[in-house]
C-alpha cells in the first residue's frame, strides 16, 4: 500500500491528491488477508536470495504463499514465472499467452 502511494506520485501525469490516494488505499485494504509478521519478513528475505528478486517483491510473494495464493498479478515480476509454486501473471500483457 505504501508503494501504491509512492508510485501514484511518480507515475501519474496528473497526480491525485493525498486524500484521494488514502481513500483508494482504504478501498484496497479489504483485500488484506492478514498482518505482516516477523516470519513473513524472514521468509521474504529468504526469497530474495532464492528467487533473486527485490525485498518488496519477495514480501508480496511471501504473503501470497501464506494464504496459499495460486497466482500474483504483477507488472514488476516476470510474467509466466513460478516462484514457490505461485504463477506470476502480467495483467498488462493482454492477448499474450503466458505459460
Amino acid at each position: 500500500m505504501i508503494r501504491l502511494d509512492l508510485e501514484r506520485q511518480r507515475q501519474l501525469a496528473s497526480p491525485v491528491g493525498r486524500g484521494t490516494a488514502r481513500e483508494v488505499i482504504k478501498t484496497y485494504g479489504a483485500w488484506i488477508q492478514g498482518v505482516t509478521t516477523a516470519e513473513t519478513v524472514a521468509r521474504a528475505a529468504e526469497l530474495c536470495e532464492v528467487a533473486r528478486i527485490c525485498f518488496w517483491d519477495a514480501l508480496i510473494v511471501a504473503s501470497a504463499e501464506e494464504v496459499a495464493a495460486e497466482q500474483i498479478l504483477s507488472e514488476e515480476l516476470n510474467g509466466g514465472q513460478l516462484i514457490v509454486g505461485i504463477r506470476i501473471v502480467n495483467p498488462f500483457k493482454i492477448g499474450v499467452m503466458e505459460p
Side-chain angles (χ1 to χ4, degrees):
M1 295 296 171
I2 294 168
R3 187 171 183 179
L4 171 66
D5 186 57
L6 295 174
E7 289 297 310
R8 74 145 177 108
Q9 289 293 341
R10 186 173 63 86
Q11 292 181 351
L12 296 177
S14 300
V16 296
R18 292 192 181 275
T20 302
R22 280 191 294 275
E23 289 304 314
V24 170
I25 290 169
K26 287 178 186 175
T27 300
Y28 285 108
W31 292 356
I32 297 172
Q33 296 290 313
V35 299
T36 302
T37 64
E39 290 79 15
T40 309
V41 173
R43 178 64 172 147
E46 179 182 353
L47 288 172
C48 286
E49 296 176 38
V50 173
R52 296 185 164 276
I53 56 178
C54 76
F55 174 77
W56 296 109
D57 290 340
L59 189 59
I60 292 168
V61 174
S63 297
E65 183 181 38
E66 286 181 354
V67 297
E70 295 179 6
Q71 66 179 10
I72 295 172
L73 301 177
S74 173
E75 65 177 316
E76 297 291 324
L77 296 167
N78 295 322
Q81 182 179 13
L82 270 178
I83 303 174
V84 294
I86 301 170
R87 169 99 30 220
I88 308 303
V89 176
N90 184 336
F92 298 108
K93 289 192 174 183
I94 298 171
V96 177
M97 296 298 295
E98 294 179 342

